[in-house]
Amino acid sequence: MTRRWGPIVTGVALALTFAVLVGLGTVGPAAGGDDPAPAAQGSAAPPSWMRKLRPGEKPPQFVLFSFDGAGSHEHWQRVLPLAEKVNAHVTGFLSGIYLLPDTRRGEYTGPGHAPGRAAIGFGGTEQEVANRIADLNDAVARGHEIGTHYNGHFCSGNEPSGSRWSTAQWTAELDQFFGFVRDAATRGLLVAENTIKGGRIPCLEGDFAALAPALAAHGLAYDSSLTSDGITWPQLRDGIWQFRVPVVRVPALAGKKVIMMDYNLWYSLNGAQEEPSRDKEFTAVTLDTYRAAYQAALNTNRAPLTVGNHFNDWSGGAFSDATEQFMAEVCVREHTVCATYAQVIKWMKLQDPEVLDTFRTMPPAQLT
Ligand SMILES: [Zn+2]
């Protein structure tokens, strides 16, 4: 099912200013050492890379594929077999109201908004919600992760948007998200509440200081909404792991820096206009950007690479095609692990903090 999206990322998100993370020191990684081998597919045992690094060993190159608004049957049908084939584990950030049939839209009240209002569609028919529950169950059974994309997708221009919400309002939004998950459990959803460990804010618009206490109160461990200049290691702040979406130079745009998410790339290419005739061109530009970002991290700080997407058919499906092609080629590479956020957090906790700091204090990986 194709969802219609509102003007979900605006110039505000695109014009984000960044605290450039320099001055963190230039300690290089320990040299030498073997890289870990990729995990054997289909193994019930923990993957071979889920262990403490040996002295001098480099971290695996983690790639975190994450899909916002993970409610599309068609896209799950494409991603699940592909992920299985290349031994990738991905994260779907679910908009909670996709679990709510349209007839029950009045049960959601976005912070500062009237009941039944949202900037995206609700769940559709009972049958569509049932199909979605089956997709989500299938995804978690295969080892993928479900996180939250909150509910109403209120971005700049749809005020009050997330960037204006207080901790109490984020708490209300998350209370409702988990309420929809619990309600769906009575209709067969098998995504256990305690496996939902983090999320991504719609349009990346929100105040982390306001959000973090709400995340912690709901037992969540990470957020993947902030951006960073280049590719950086996750940092623990206010008890929450910050997995940042990198801002990278796009080779095809004369090195212009863009938030490495599908919508932002599209916006920078043609102002996010539907131009299906240019789909191959847009796919190529996006794929080249992903490849260069991966190579930059692999060659330098080995920071986990967040590839942020929506399940979308924008401009002839150009961006979904790029993501799927990248997944197919990168996840089977040596030294590379396509993992969920929860897996990377678990791996980080196994490491000697000083060893991780060696990598964390390196300059962010940049595309040249
Ligand atoms: Zn979104």
Side-chain angles (χ1 to χ4, degrees):
M1 175 174 53
T2 302
R3 294 235 152 241
R4 300 299 308 169
W5 292 82
I8 68 158
V9 177
T10 65
V12 174
L14 297 162
L16 276 172
T17 52
F18 315 106
V20 179
L21 299 175
V22 294
L24 292 174
T26 53
V27 182
D34 294 330
D35 281 284
Q41 188 170 343
S43 163
S48 59
W49 53 264
M50 188 61 87
R51 59 170 176 76
K52 191 172 180 174
L53 292 172
R54 292 185 286 267
E57 187 182 15
K58 289 181 181 175
Q61 179 58 52
F62 289 111
V63 184
L64 294 143
F65 286 94
S66 46
F67 300 93
D68 293 4
S72 160
H73 178 67
E74 178 207 329
H75 283 278
W76 277 123
Q77 292 300 301
R78 283 164 55 170
V79 166
L80 289 178
L82 169 60
E84 181 128 357
K85 190 170 151 204
V86 300
N87 195 27
H89 291 104
V90 307
T91 303
F93 291 128
L94 178 69
S95 299
I97 57 174
Y98 285 175
L99 297 173
L100 208 56
D102 289 351
T103 51
R104 292 175 53 192
R105 60 188 299 153
E107 293 176 32
Y108 170 61
T109 304
H113 294 270
R117 270 213 66 230
I120 55 171
F122 281 72
T125 64
E126 296 273 358
Q127 187 57 51
E128 285 172 318
V129 173
N131 292 346
R132 192 166 298 121
I133 287 173
D135 288 334
L136 295 168
N137 289 349
D138 196 7
V140 294
R142 295 173 190 234
H144 303 296
E145 175 180 19
I146 302 301
T148 181
H149 197 42
Y150 304 85
N151 301 303
H153 216 284
F154 294 111
C155 299
S156 178
N158 224 321
E159 305 301 337
S161 62
S163 54
R164 298 188 183 188
W165 288 357
S166 64
T167 299
Q169 289 178 310
W170 283 112
T171 299
E173 181 78 343
L174 281 170
D175 284 346
Q176 293 186 80
F177 174 84
F178 282 105
F180 300 142
V181 169
R182 272 193 297 279
D183 178 80
T186 68
R187 287 172 286 136
L189 181 69
L190 299 174
V191 180
E193 258 185 89
N194 64 2
T195 64
I196 296 172
K197 286 295 182 193
R200 179 173 293 135
I201 301 170
C203 308
L204 313 182
E205 291 175 8
D207 172 11
F208 183 79
L211 175 68
L215 293 175
H218 286 86
L220 300 181
Y222 73 87
D223 169 71
S224 189
S225 310
L226 300 172
T227 60
S228 58
D229 183 6
I231 304 143
T232 58
W233 276 89
Q235 303 262 10
L236 194 59
R237 290 280 183 273
D238 301 337
I240 302 296
W241 285 103
Q242 296 175 337
F243 286 78
R244 290 172 180 258
V245 179
V247 180
V248 300
R249 284 190 194 91
V250 175
L253 294 172
K256 184 184 170 195
K257 283 199 160 185
V258 179
I259 297 174
M260 205 178 79
M261 279 194 75
D262 47 12
Y263 188 91
N264 305 72
L265 289 162
W266 186 24
Y267 192 92
S268 68
L269 282 163
N270 75 344
Q273 303 303 307
E274 285 292 351
E275 272 190 284
S277 62
R278 292 178 72 190
D279 63 341
K280 296 276 186 296
E281 175 197 341
F282 291 172
T283 299
V285 168
T286 304
L287 194 50
D288 281 353
T289 305
Y290 290 163
R291 286 170 175 158
Y294 165 84
Q295 206 61 46
L298 181 76
N299 292 347
T300 61
N301 65 355
R302 289 281 171 112
L305 178 65
T306 295
V307 179
N309 281 277
H310 291 79
F311 274 155
N312 71 73
D313 298 309
W314 294 327
S315 217
F319 302 93
S320 291
D321 285 352
T323 303
E324 290 169 17
Q325 284 185 45
F326 184 58
M327 189 187 296
E329 69 181 39
V330 82
C331 298
V332 295
R333 294 249 180 96
E334 209 181 355
H335 319 313
T336 303
V337 177
C338 294
T340 65
Y341 291 86
Q343 284 181 308
V344 174
I345 291 171
K346 190 173 172 189
W347 178 89
M348 288 193 295
K349 286 180 175 171
L350 292 173
Q351 309 309 315
D352 179 344
E354 287 181 13
V355 170
L356 271 193
D357 277 347
T358 306
F359 292 94
R360 189 174 283 124
T361 54
M362 290 177 71
Q366 300 283 2
L367 280 63
T368 49

